[in-house]
Amino acid sequence: SGFKSIKFDPKTLNSDLTKIEEKLKDRNPDHWKQREEAIRRLTGLILSRVVEPEVWLPFLKRAKTILPLQIEDLRSSIVRIMSASIVVMCKEFQELFFETFEVLLPSLYKQLGVNIIPIKESAHECICQAIELTENERILKHIYTNTNSKNKAIRSRNSLYLRIICEVWDESTLEKNLSEMLSALEVMFSDGELESRKNARIALCALSECFPESIVEFIAQLSDKRQSNEIIKMLPETAAKIFEERYPDSGGIERATSITLQPISEVVNSFTNTQSISTQSRSSVSVPSTTTTKQVSKLSTGAGGVGGPKSKVTTTATIANNNNNNN
């Protein structure tokens, strides 16, 4: 990311932050280099870890009005370095940063819809990594809202965010939000964008690993039978067995020739035409020319800071072939 830990006296933290804030509030377009340097220094101070995360709380409250200005900047270098800095804050501050990050999300979503590729990709990668690093349930309401966005690119990426959540968040967190998540997925199944429908199917299969009975009932009640048939083909073994037992008249589950599903890190990068925000892949899956099963990785998260590590097990599921890609 290009950030270096900065040595400083904790007693001067407030003085340093005041200078940083003054530079970030300066909206003179000719002073963009000063703003960029201020973001770098801010991130270096955070990475120094010489004070407890709680000491940063006053600044994080003030940041709610300062950081959105940097995210919405028209200069891509500012947006990119700010996005990377936000990822650092998510990792270092964990739940202390939840409230501030929620305030930043509308600005990040706004940048997803711009035509400047480096800007929208920076915002996209920032959201993806924030979701992976923290289980911030405040994010969910923004995902639900943007399920009906008029911008098809935002809807497509929004579906990926929900997919990541279904694949990496802890079962207890998913269970608390299952009803609302299923409602959002149902909307995604009727989306005109192929990517949205595909991500929704994969997300539902990930949920079936934790809640097979609930997901089987949800699939059976879907009004879009074409989508339900595609999901049934992808179900992991436990959910597939439950479905066949409860709905024996369905004719059994047709298993198509399968393909290997991309790791989340590759899916994120496939959206990106510019250099990544120094994300480290936490899933490694080879892509052979032919395969019949796929290890759907319940990715492990080893975030530093307050939150501690969290992980999920790896399970096997069958994924439908390319001849279903138009569904």
Side-chain angles (χ1 to χ4, degrees):
S1 61
F3 296 124
K4 294 181 179 180
S5 180
I6 296 174
K7 293 182 179 180
F8 76 109
D9 182 353
K11 296 179 181 178
T12 67
L13 177 62
N14 288 332
S15 175
D16 283 354
L17 290 178
T18 297
K19 295 176 182 178
I20 289 171
E21 290 175 49
E22 288 175 354
K23 290 183 179 180
L24 294 180
K25 289 177 181 178
D26 183 356
R27 304 311 298 159
N28 187 326
D30 294 331
H31 296 169
W32 66 271
K33 286 187 177 181
Q34 288 91 322
R35 295 201 304 278
E36 182 176 307
E37 181 55 36
I39 297 170
R40 289 187 181 278
R41 179 161 183 80
L42 169 64
T43 311
L45 292 175
I46 295 170
L47 290 172
S48 295
R49 299 178 180 172
V50 296
V51 294
E52 293 298 319
E54 289 77 8
V55 176
W56 287 87
L57 279 173
F59 169 78
L60 294 179
K61 291 180 179 179
R62 299 193 301 273
K64 295 175 186 178
T65 59
I66 301 172
L67 300 190
L69 298 174
Q70 317 312 315
I71 297 172
E72 296 182 17
D73 201 282
L74 296 178
R75 188 173 288 274
S76 61
S77 61
I78 295 291
V79 178
R80 189 155 194 83
I81 195 171
M82 188 70 255
S83 297
S85 184
I86 290 170
V87 171
V88 170
M89 294 181 203
C90 286
K91 182 176 180 179
E92 296 297 319
F93 297 141
Q94 292 286 307
E95 62 263 29
L96 296 179
F97 190 59
F98 282 7
E99 185 177 327
T100 302
F101 184 72
E102 183 187 10
V103 174
L104 303 181
L105 264 175
S107 296
L108 289 166
Y109 265 98
K110 179 180 178 180
Q111 295 293 54
L112 293 177
V114 304
N115 293 324
I116 305 173
I117 291 177
I119 287 180
K120 65 182 179 182
E121 299 306 341
S122 296
H124 174 60
E125 292 176 41
C126 179
I127 296 173
C128 286
Q129 294 188 54
I131 290 173
E132 291 191 69
L133 287 168
T134 61
E135 292 193 8
N136 185 353
E137 294 178 64
R138 296 170 182 263
I139 295 172
L140 287 170
K141 70 178 184 181
H142 294 273
I143 291 177
Y144 302 152
T145 298
N146 284 281
T147 298
N148 295 305
S149 171
K150 294 181 180 179
N151 187 308
K152 62 182 182 181
I154 291 178
R155 294 198 311 274
S156 179
R157 294 177 180 219
N158 193 56
S159 68
L160 176 60
Y161 306 151
L162 188 53
R163 169 186 163 181
I164 296 173
I165 286 172
C166 292
E167 290 189 305
V168 306
W169 281 17
D170 287 337
E171 183 174 334
S172 59
T173 307
L174 297 175
E175 186 174 16
K176 285 191 297 181
N177 299 282
L178 185 59
S179 178
E180 293 84 358
M181 292 170 69
L182 290 177
S183 296
L185 287 172
E186 188 168 11
V187 174
M188 292 176 184
F189 287 136
S190 61
D191 196 297
E193 286 299 296
L194 170 63
E195 197 68 23
S196 295
R197 301 194 302 274
K198 183 180 75 173
N199 282 328
R201 291 195 295 267
I202 296 170
L204 195 64
C205 287
L207 289 175
S208 73
E209 297 282 355
C210 302
F211 319 106
E213 295 189 0
S214 298
I215 300 307
V216 163
E217 291 305 312
F218 174 79
I219 295 170
Q221 295 172 17
L222 275 177
S223 57
D224 189 336
K225 296 306 176 185
R226 185 180 183 184
Q227 287 301 316
S228 63
N229 288 337
E230 293 304 320
I231 297 165
I232 291 168
K233 296 176 185 178
M234 298 168 60
L235 284 176
E237 184 177 353
T238 300
K241 184 176 180 180
I242 293 174
F243 187 90
E244 289 178 320
E245 290 175 349
R246 292 190 180 181
Y247 303 97
D249 296 333
S250 64
I253 295 181
E254 175 190 352
R255 293 292 182 179
T257 305
S258 305
I259 60 172
T260 299
L261 187 66
Q262 286 178 290
I264 284 294
S265 58
E266 290 184 12
V267 176
V268 173
N269 289 338
S270 71
F271 279 107
T272 309
N273 295 322
T274 56
Q275 185 179 359
S276 298
I277 304 180
S278 66
T279 181
Q280 183 176 4
S281 173
R282 297 179 299 142
S283 160
S284 179
V285 182
S286 59
V287 185
S289 56
T290 58
T291 181
T292 57
T293 58
K294 162 68 182 67
Q295 291 294 107
V296 179
S297 177
K298 309 297 279 185
L299 301 175
S300 299
T301 301
V306 181
K310 48 186 177 290
S311 65
K312 290 192 175 184
V313 298
T314 298
T315 53
T316 302
T318 302
I319 307 300
N321 196 0
N322 279 326
N323 57 14
N324 298 315
N325 281 353
N326 293 324
N327 297 313

